[in-house]
Amino acid sequence: MASQTFETLAYAVEDGIATITLNRPDKLNAFNTQMMKDMIAAFDVTDADDAVKVVIVTGAGRGFCAGADLSGGAQTFDYDARGGEDKEARTREGVQRDGGGLLTLRIYDSLKPVIAAVNGPAVGVGVTMQLPMDIRMASTEARFGLVFARRGLNPEAASSWFLPKLVGVQTALEWCYTGRIFSAQEALEKGLVRSLHAPDDLLPAARKLAREIADNTAPVSIAVTRQLIWRMAGASHPMEAHRADSRGIQKRGAMADAREGVMSFLEKRPPAFTDKVSTDVPDIWEQWSAPTFK
């Protein structure tokens, strides 16, 4: 696909790995409406591009994301007072949809695996945007903070759904109740991040993991797997998973990738998967539809 340009992001694809870099380093990559729009658009691009096998998200400069851009002062979070051209588009039944939530719901729907490479401070939405990403790796210099209660707010970006699933209810509540900044080591110990790395080693480590996925697995299988794991996180009974994965095995088992996966193993050679995410992801969700905002 043609090179993509975004106002608040740097975007690059190399050997099947797309890197989305939050690119407002003078503001510690603070999140604003334009960044929300750019990130949503970037995930539309990665989903549509069959050359992309894995997505890495990181930050430019010394920060990952310092949270919401507070340049609006006291009215930063008073959307009615601020108005603006996006107000009407984001309003449903008198409620303005949270921009962080619009982004995390888009990442939740990603057809490609997403790795966060947290290179520095991540506060507020800088943390909550990571939660629907699949794997979080952090620099030893990273810091985290769910500071909403200290700003007179509540957690956003659907984090009350994502966060307890990653770290448990007790830790989620402690971090949100105190609003304190905590270390990368604590994030590792509580399960928020997978691993810690020296600053210069973080992106190489993220790329190594991305390379393992891109080189060895079928992209359509990854897309189906991602849907299964995330959607089943809220399922009421394992029968829901059984229905979906049974349909998946039946449909994928008859496709070219399954034949190639078996034969490449038997012939002791690297697989050459040909099914495409853009055209070949099977529908395994009987009568499933995403809830609407109302």
Side-chain angles (χ1 to χ4, degrees):
M1 298 182 71
S3 176
Q4 301 292 324
T5 302
F6 301 98
E7 184 176 328
T8 65
L9 310 174
Y11 180 86
V13 179
E14 183 178 357
D15 295 332
I17 301 170
T19 302
I20 298 171
T21 304
L22 312 185
N23 195 28
R24 303 182 72 211
D26 57 323
K27 302 288 187 181
L28 280 178
N29 304 318
F31 185 83
N32 60 12
T33 297
Q34 187 60 49
M35 183 177 284
M36 175 200 74
K37 292 178 178 179
D38 285 349
M39 291 189 74
I40 289 172
F43 279 97
D44 289 343
V45 170
T46 57
D47 270 1
D49 188 352
D50 286 320
V52 173
K53 304 298 193 296
V54 185
V55 181
I56 295 173
V57 180
T58 192
R62 66 183 184 87
F64 179 77
C65 175
D69 188 330
L70 302 181
S71 59
Q75 293 184 341
T76 294
F77 299 106
D78 188 346
Y79 299 140
D80 287 329
R82 289 179 60 184
E85 62 182 17
D86 294 313
K87 178 179 176 180
E88 183 176 350
R90 285 167 56 173
T91 299
R92 297 291 184 277
E93 299 185 7
V95 179
Q96 287 195 53
R97 297 186 65 179
D98 161 51
L102 292 171
L103 172 59
T104 57
L105 289 170
R106 178 62 189 87
I107 298 172
Y108 173 86
D109 285 334
S110 174
L111 296 173
K112 311 294 173 70
V114 186
I115 299 171
V118 188
N119 56 299
V123 177
V125 70
V127 179
T128 58
M129 73 164 65
Q130 302 173 34
L131 303 182
M133 300 179 192
D134 303 307
I135 299 167
R136 286 154 299 281
M137 307 168 73
S139 163
T140 52
E141 296 184 358
R143 298 292 182 270
F144 301 82
L146 293 146
V147 298
F148 306 103
R150 296 193 179 202
R151 306 291 182 268
L153 300 169
N154 54 269
E156 40 64 89
S159 57
S160 56
W161 191 89
F162 289 106
L163 184 61
K165 291 176 171 60
L166 296 172
V167 302
V169 171
Q170 179 171 260
T171 296
L173 287 173
E174 179 189 338
W175 285 348
C176 292
Y177 283 168
T178 64
R180 62 181 172 81
I181 304 299
F182 55 93
S183 68
Q185 183 62 39
E186 183 174 346
L188 175 68
E189 292 170 355
K190 298 298 187 181
L192 180 62
V193 301
R194 164 200 184 262
S195 53
L196 301 185
H197 305 269
D200 291 342
D201 295 336
L202 175 62
L203 270 178
R207 291 188 179 117
K208 181 180 179 181
L209 177 58
R211 183 86 275 130
E212 183 176 3
I213 298 168
D215 289 347
N216 298 292
T217 62
V220 173
S221 294
I222 293 297
V224 174
T225 298
R226 194 177 196 278
Q227 289 181 343
L228 282 168
I229 296 297
W230 275 114
R231 292 184 184 184
M232 290 303 102
S236 60
H237 191 280
M239 180 57 76
E240 295 185 46
H242 180 55
R243 290 169 181 156
D245 58 44
S246 293
R247 288 179 172 83
I249 292 293
Q250 180 175 344
K251 293 182 178 183
R252 286 296 286 149
M255 297 175 74
D257 278 355
R259 294 190 290 273
E260 172 63 11
V262 171
M263 293 310 298
S264 63
F265 173 77
L266 294 176
E267 295 170 0
K268 297 180 172 56
R269 59 174 174 79
F273 296 115
T274 56
D275 294 336
K276 296 181 178 180
V277 171
S278 61
T279 56
D280 299 322
V281 175
D283 182 5
I284 64 173
W285 306 99
E286 185 180 30
Q287 298 179 335
W288 186 91
S289 61
T292 59
F293 187 92
K294 62 180 181 179

